[in-house]
Every structure is written in structure tokens, then in C-alpha cells.
């Protein structure tokens, strides 16, 4: 009998095709995510689940999956999955780091340049036919990017990829992370470690690249936003709740900082009454950090490889919980 797989949304080729070659697939075909009850209902007889950041894979889903062996998430972030509970039950979890690094770093830079040079705001100005004076020495003055200072919070894969781009703009690159690089590595990357506060005080651009955990919840709160320069710009392509949204609105309105560029929010999609929508000094994107054709296709392929590897009784290329093998060895989940 073929393994049964539930896929909670269509993914770009070649993800589903790869899985269909070996498994019976139930696919949620609409663009909107399935609701929680639908996931719980569908998971009951499934051996594997391919899910997304929008699906809450909590204790209810995990306990409903009586024969569930593997959860493969089409994402590098995994705060939507109860990893501890899944591991306890011997369920393997795959994720997709690496393949979306460059796309997310590009998006970070798109936001940085856009917020610095106010290009989204200027685009709206042109479209509204507010452009009535052909040229003005004071029109849409922004902040310089070239030779400015960037502070990268969280020097993982994406933080490093952002640093590489910053080098192309001759920026001074500061970083803060829970682990400090060796002096040799810092030299090679041409980056300097700073305490969190010093980084906020010195940087013209502060870019957040930490995973969302209890510790990083509201990392950028009122106190920390107030440490930034009035000319500085905050960029967030990590997870919305790493920034205190209400404090950011205050910072932007009261001009403690010059601007922000956001791809992520505390509530997604953004709520109609979110005050950010009324502010011109913030660039807003709809969580599209990894949205290039190339990255999304590679994520689909990797998510499929992770899922199929477990069903073959092999270690997945990228898994979150290798310790699960002590609870249920791969030989016991092998179906293919
Ligand atoms: C992720 O992978 O975690 C992104 O947020 C979605 O691409």
C-alpha cells in the first residue's frame, strides 16, 4: 500500500509530482490555507504531512495523526509546529533552510533601498498625479546607503547573505548574535561584533534576522527602538513578533527613527486598522521574502525530499529533530 500524504496547499513544481510518484496525495487545492479543523480531520489516516507557515501544527493535529510519521514544512521557520510534542510521538520533522537564503537577503536589500530612498512613497506620489513641479532640490530626500553602517541582528545564513550585499555598498557592517565569530572569521567577512545596544546606537540600518522564539519576542521593543538614531531605518524580514508593532508605530509617528521596511507582522495578513497603513515612512510587503520562482521551486523540491527520505527510512536532508531517532528509529517508519 502506498503511503498517504496530506498537502495543505499547492506548491510550485516539482514538489507534488515527486511525492505523487510514490504516494497517494490528498491536496488542499485552494489558495487560502485550510482551517485547523480541516487539518485535524485530514491528518487522521495520513503517514505524512506537507505544511506551510500558515498551518498551526499543534498538539491537536499531532495527536489526530495516529499513523503520522513525518511533517515536512515548506519553510525555514518552524514556530508553527509543536516540535517537542511531535518528537515525543516519534514524528520526524523536515524543513527547508539554505534554499531561500539569497532570495530573502535580496528582499531585505530591496526593503532597505526602498525605505532609504522612499521609492514606494514616490511611486504613489507619481500615480496620484501629485508630481506638479518637474524637479525640486528638496523633493523626496532620503537616507544614503553607500558607505553607511548596517547592524545585522542574528548572523545566520540570511544575516551573512545580507552582509555580503552590504559589502557591495561599501557599508560598515556590525553584527550581534548569541555566538560571536572568531577574530579570523570576523576579519574574513569584514564585520565587527557589537553589543546589542551599541549596534542599535551606531547603525544607520538595523536588519533583524533572528528566528522567532520566546527570547526574541518583541526584541525590538520601545526601549530598543529608542536607542536607534533618528535617521536610522529598521528592516524586518524575520518574523513579525520580533518587533513590538505598537512601539514601532510610535517610533515612526514620533520620528524616533526615520523609517522602516517590513515583510512580516505580528498579525498576518495585516489588519485593516493597523496604523502602519497610514504611515508614509514605512514600506510594507506581504511576507514575500522567499518569493522568487527559483527559491520556491527549490523549497518544494527539498520539502518533498525530506518527506520521501523519512518514508524510505533514510535521514532527511534537513531535519529539525534528529533526536527523534532514539524514540522511533527510521527503520520503523520506512514504508517505501
Ligand atoms: C519561511 O520559510 O519561514 C518563510 O517565512 C516563508 O518562506
Amino acid at each position: 500500500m502506498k503511503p498517504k500524504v496530506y498537502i495543505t496547499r499547492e506548491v510550485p513544481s516539482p514538489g507534488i509530482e515527486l511525492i505523487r510518484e510514490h504516494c497517494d496525495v490528498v491536496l488542499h487545492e485552494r489558495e487560502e490555507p485550510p482551517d485547523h479543523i480541516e487539518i485535524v480531520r485530514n491528518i487522521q489516516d495520513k503517514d505524512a504531512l506537507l505544511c506551510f507557515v500558515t498551518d498551526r501544527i499543534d498538539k491537536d493535529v499531532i495527536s489526530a495523526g495516529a499513523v503520522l510519521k513525518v511533517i515536512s514544512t515548506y519553510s525555514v521557520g518552524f514556530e508553527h509546529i509543536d516540535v517537542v510534542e511531535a518528537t515525543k510521538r516519534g514524528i520526524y520533522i523536515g524543513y527547508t533552510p539554505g534554499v531561500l537564503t539569497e532570495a530573502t537577503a535580496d528582499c531585505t536589500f530591496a526593503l532597505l533601498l526602498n525605505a532609504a530612498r522612499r521609492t514606494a512613497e514616490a511611486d504613489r506620489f507619481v500615480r496620484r498625479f501629485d508630481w506638479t513641479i518637474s524637479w525640486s532640490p528638496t523633493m523626496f530626500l532620503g537616507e544614503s546607503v553607500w558607505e553607511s553602517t548596517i547592524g545585522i541582528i542574528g548572523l545566520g545564513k540570511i544575516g551573512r547573505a545580507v552582509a555580503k550585499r552590504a559589502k557591495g555598498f561599501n557599508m560598515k557592517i556590525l553584527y550581534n548574535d548569541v555566538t560571536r565569530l572568531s577574530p579570523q572569521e570576523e576579519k574574513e567577512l569584514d564585520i565587527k561584533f557589537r553589543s546589542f545596544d551599541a549596534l542599535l546606537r551606531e547603525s544607520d540600518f538595523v536588519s533583524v534576522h533572528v528566528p522567532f522564539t520566546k527570547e526574541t519576542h518583541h526584541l525590538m521593543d520601545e526601549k530598543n527602538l529608542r536607542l536607534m538614531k533618528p535617521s536610522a531605518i529598521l528592516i524586518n524580514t524575520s518574523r513579525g513578533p520580533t518587533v513590538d508593532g505598537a512601539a514601532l508605530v510610535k517610533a515612526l509617528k514620533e520620528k524616533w527613527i526615520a523609517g522602516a521596511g517590513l515583510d512580516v507582522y505580528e498579525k498576518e495578513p495585516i489588519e485593516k486598522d493597523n496604523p502602519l497603513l497610514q504611515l508614509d515612512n514605512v514600506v510594507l510587503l506581504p511576507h514575500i521574502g522567499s518569493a522568487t520562482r527559483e527559491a520556491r521551486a527549490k523549497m518544494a523540491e527539498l520539502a518533498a525530499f525530506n518527506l520521501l527520505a523519512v518514508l524510505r527510512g533514510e535521514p532527511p536532508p534537513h531535519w529539525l529533530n534528529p533526536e527523534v531517532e532514539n524514540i522511533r528509529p527510521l527503520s520503523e517508519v520506512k514504508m517505501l
Side-chain angles (χ1 to χ4, degrees):
M1 207 175 59
K2 282 182 168 181
K4 292 189 174 135
V5 180
Y6 179 44
I7 304 183
T8 60
R9 223 94 65 77
E10 193 83 58
V11 291
S13 279
I16 301 180
E17 297 85 330
L18 285 168
I19 297 174
R20 277 210 170 106
E21 275 176 36
H22 308 278
C23 307
D24 287 333
V25 169
V26 171
L27 172 68
H28 173 87
E29 279 172 358
R30 295 192 310 278
E31 203 189 348
E32 318 82 64
D35 56 35
H36 193 248
I37 297 177
E38 207 175 325
I39 301 179
V40 171
R41 200 178 47 240
N42 272 290
I43 204 66
Q44 285 168 12
D45 60 341
K46 302 298 182 297
D47 300 292
L49 167 69
L50 196 153
C51 65
F52 300 82
V53 285
T54 40
D55 304 321
R56 184 163 43 89
I57 309 303
D58 59 7
K59 214 170 170 170
D60 293 342
V61 174
I62 292 165
S63 28
V67 293
L68 192 60
K69 296 164 184 70
V70 51
I71 297 168
S72 174
T73 184
Y74 180 92
S75 62
V76 64
F78 50 86
E79 68 285 346
H80 54 296
I81 302 173
D82 187 337
V83 177
V84 174
E85 185 61 27
T87 307
K88 247 197 268 166
R89 290 176 182 256
I91 297 169
Y92 289 71
I93 309 173
Y95 71 135
T96 62
V99 290
L100 46 73
T101 301
E102 305 302 339
T104 310
D106 283 349
C107 186
T108 304
F109 245 80
L111 273 173
L112 187 152
L113 287 165
N114 196 334
R117 298 303 307 273
R118 303 170 60 188
T119 55
E121 194 187 341
D123 177 273
R124 291 193 293 272
F125 174 85
V126 173
R127 289 172 198 274
R128 278 197 313 263
F129 285 100
D130 286 346
W131 185 21
T132 50
I133 301 168
S134 61
W135 188 87
S136 149
T138 53
M139 188 162 69
F140 281 103
L141 299 184
E143 307 300 330
S144 301
V145 176
W146 178 252
E147 293 188 339
S148 62
T149 298
I150 185 169
I152 298 174
I153 302 176
L155 198 72
K157 286 194 176 68
I158 298 172
R160 283 171 194 242
V162 168
K164 280 194 203 146
R165 283 152 180 79
K167 234 174 134 32
F169 284 83
N170 233 11
M171 292 166 101
K172 178 172 173 185
I173 307 167
L174 311 177
Y175 79 100
N176 180 271
D177 197 292
V178 280
T179 47
R180 187 170 174 175
L181 302 182
S182 67
Q184 173 69 18
E185 281 175 303
E186 286 184 1
K187 204 166 155 210
E188 272 163 25
L189 290 170
D190 197 13
I191 56 179
K192 295 180 177 53
F193 181 84
R194 289 288 187 276
S195 71
F196 192 66
D197 289 7
L199 178 144
L200 296 179
R201 285 201 182 92
E202 283 180 50
S203 301
D204 300 306
F205 298 93
V206 171
S207 195
V208 183
H209 299 286
V210 290
F212 177 55
T213 62
K214 270 203 284 306
E215 289 70 38
T216 61
H217 180 257
H218 285 187
L219 180 70
M220 290 306 294
D221 58 7
E222 174 156 348
K223 175 181 131 307
N224 289 330
L225 285 164
R226 282 189 187 274
L227 293 179
M228 291 174 64
K229 298 183 193 178
S231 56
I233 287 173
L234 176 74
I235 307 296
N236 190 12
T237 54
S238 65
R239 284 293 184 259
T242 60
V243 176
D244 177 344
L248 178 63
V249 168
K250 247 169 115 182
L252 292 166
K253 271 191 182 159
E254 295 173 17
K255 307 277 161 57
W256 316 339
I257 65 174
L262 307 175
D263 185 41
V264 288
Y265 308 86
E266 293 202 75
K267 283 235 171 71
E268 294 177 8
I270 198 165
E271 299 142 299
K272 280 207 171 73
D273 60 350
N274 189 320
L276 287 171
L277 294 166
Q278 306 307 323
L279 300 178
D280 264 333
N281 55 348
V282 57
V283 181
L284 307 171
L285 298 182
H287 200 150
I288 54 168
S290 64
T292 67
R293 282 180 233 288
E294 188 192 357
R296 292 285 168 88
K298 284 187 178 159
M299 287 164 75
E301 191 177 57
L302 183 50
F305 286 165
N306 283 335
L307 185 146
L308 291 170
V310 175
L311 297 177
R312 285 192 185 108
E314 294 162 7
H318 290 283
W319 48 345
L320 280 167
N321 58 346
E323 68 278 16
V324 70
E325 253 207 292
N326 303 325
I327 295 162
R328 183 155 59 157
L330 278 161
S331 55
E332 284 180 24
V333 291
K334 183 172 160 56
M335 294 185 76
L336 292 171

